[in-house]
Amino acid sequence: MQFKRLNNAIVTEKYSGESLRTQKASAKIVHLGIGAFHRAHQAVYTNNVNGFAAKAAEDIWSIVGVSLRSATVRDQLVPQNCFYNVIESDASGSNRFLVSAIEDVLVAPENPQAVLDVMAAETTQIVSLTVTEKGYCHDVVSGDLDLQNPDIQHDLANLDSPKTAIGFIVSALKFRRDHALPAFTVLSCDNLPSNGKTLAKVVLQFAGSIEPALADWIKAQVKFPNTMIDRIVPATTADDIDMFPQRYGYHDLAMVKTERFSQWVIEDNFVGKRPAWQKVGVNIVKDVDAYENAKLRLLNGAHSSLAYVGYLTGLDFVHQVMENPELTRFLTHLMKVEIAPTIVAPEGLDLQKYCDDLLLRFSNPELHHRTYQIAMDGSQKVPQRLLHTVEYKLKNNQAFDALSFAIAGWLRYTMGVNESGVAIEVQDPRAEQLASIYKQYANNLDELIDAYLSVHSIFPESLQDYPEFKESLRYWVALILELGAKAALVKLLERLNLAEE
């Protein structure tokens, strides 16, 4: 099968019964961080706007993807003229569809100027990003830009050839201001509390370090909507790529796999145009906070918890965790008893049913979502996914044993060796710092916990006011080290009166 494009227009051809549109896009989205999640989520919604909701050429949108690190995605997509397949699966089976919304993929380290050119182009209305928490180069507790980050320091000194998403955004906006061009909307699609506000804060701090007047212009002209994104997208494996031609008769190196469920909630806060996403299932709302809080704490908090505890007990995949009765009881209690009461649900959301739905989604045997993948970058995730919930529990004098156990599981994981003595490659921007703490204080548990809690870029200083948190964390870390994660989990379930009869 040949994929074809001509002059940025999609050439219509039948593709397994699917017809591709021919209209030329009149507006662009530049997306920073064109990984699997974007291709299975935001690009799908934009593709659906083009295929189902667009009535005229001016309604057609195209995406220029940007890789901020490697050429892998470019080398997969561009030879296919940026067409790729999405496979949606659950226990009942799977379905496949083609996505044609991406126009091109640029590799920032190879040609940063090309990226800046398309971001600065007047046809670009939105710059969106999925760069994970660490891509914001900020302190996850204070939300401030980390001005000591080497890549941020590079960008401040080399604004014409930046490395970070923050540097690219500010450089492009500076060009637009200097050339009297309108601003664009900057749309964060990462799992951060108030992600739009968080992004605006670091962008303004970066811009202010360049020129205070630039920060003033950005604050007045640019919009940073908050969003909530929800879809489970595991990494595509070599086996997935190899299986695709056996099923469909041709190769697709850029295919992605995901679950059937998908949700996107966006604050109605744009400058300029945007796609008619509301016509294809996106919720455009006045306030995203309630949706985001429920998702961050319940889905993401539970996902991280099952990843660390599951990985420590030797389980490679999320669905294997859900097949384990002890882990399922732990997770159900964590979500329904400890986390859900901390959340003010958005209108129409039944939190207990939401928990049941999440447990069912986690059980999907078709995704093969690795616990190790979810475990990455915990220092950037644990604060908003778990520690904020713990703070609520402490302030309201509520029990938090399962939450503390999950955090202890994360700390045990960062020690860099599993229970069989085999080294773990901990992928985390603070891996060296956390490993150094363990190495220095491994023989004194009190000093070890004190040293962890003194890392205020992870643990808020306010937690120091609650000795019961330190004691709980010490207890569970000690038990996991002494007994192993499986046996320690049994002790937790006994304490929670959840042990098997």
Side-chain angles (χ1 to χ4, degrees), residues 29 41 72 120 139 153 157 203 214 256 262 297 360 487-488:
I29 299 168
H41 190 269
T72 301
D139 182 301
Q153 291 183 338
V203 164
L214 176 60
V256 292
S262 184
R297 293 191 179 187
L360 184 63

Side-chain angles (χ1 to χ4, degrees), residues 235-254:
T236 304
T237 67
D239 287 343
D240 296 324
I241 299 295
D242 291 342
M243 284 293 295
F244 190 87
Q246 296 178 36
R247 291 187 179 184
Y248 303 110
Y250 64 95
H251 292 276
D252 181 356
L253 298 179

Side-chain angles (χ1 to χ4, degrees), residues 426-439:
V426 179
Q427 296 195 41
D428 190 290
R430 296 193 178 275
E432 289 186 12
Q433 179 184 13
L434 293 167
S436 176
I437 288 172
Y438 174 64
K439 184 177 180 180

